[in-house]
Amino acid sequence: MNDVLARLSELLEQRKSADPTSSYVAKLYAKGMDSILKKIGEEATETVIAAKGGNKDEIIYETADLWFHTMIMLAKADLKPQDILLELARREGLSGIEEKASRGKQD
C-alpha cells in the first residue's frame, strides 16, 4: 500500500511544475494553500456525510478524495506521506493522553 502513496506523492510533486490549464492539481497549487485547505474542508464534510449515511462505497470514495487533497496540501508544504507515517509510528503504543502530553498539548 505504501507504494501507492509513494507513486501518488511523486506524481503530485511533478504537478508542481505542470501547466495549471491542463492539470487539476497544478491549478490547485497555483491558487495557493487557502484553496487547497478549502477543498480539504469540503472533502472532510463529504466524508462525514458519507459515514453518517453508512454506504461503504461512498465512504471509500469520499475518504479517497479527502486523502488525495490532503496529500496535495502535504506536497505544497514540501512534506511527504512518509513524514506522516513516521509520526504515526512514533505514536504507536502510546495512549492518546500520553501522546498529547508528550507534545505539551492539553484538552
Side-chain angles (χ1 to χ4, degrees):
M1 281 302 191
N2 286 348
D3 291 345
V4 172
L5 293 178
R7 287 192 306 271
L8 180 54
S9 180
E10 181 59 33
L11 178 66
L12 295 175
E13 197 62 35
Q14 292 171 7
R15 292 295 193 261
K16 286 181 176 180
S17 60
D19 179 0
T21 63
S22 65
S23 165
Y24 170 75
V25 173
K27 186 176 182 180
L28 274 178
Y29 285 143
K31 287 182 175 182
M33 188 63 91
D34 285 348
S35 289
I36 295 168
L37 297 176
K38 180 180 175 189
K39 192 63 182 169
I40 290 171
E42 291 170 7
E43 296 301 343
T45 300
E46 291 172 3
T47 301
V48 169
I49 292 167
K52 184 79 172 157
N55 181 305
K56 289 183 180 184
D57 288 337
E58 287 181 24
I59 295 169
I60 291 168
Y61 180 80
E62 296 302 342
T63 301
D65 284 350
L66 177 59
W67 287 16
F68 177 77
H69 288 89
T70 300
M71 288 183 65
I72 294 170
M73 181 263 310
L74 290 173
K76 178 75 172 168
D78 293 323
L79 295 167
K80 304 257 184 235
Q82 186 63 26
D83 298 316
I84 308 310
L85 295 174
L86 288 170
E87 175 59 16
L88 290 172
R90 183 192 71 78
R91 296 179 185 189
E92 191 172 7
L94 295 175
S95 76
I97 294 169
E98 292 172 318
E99 196 284 318
K100 282 186 178 184
S102 75
R103 293 186 285 150
K105 299 231 177 193
Q106 301 289 323
D107 260 349

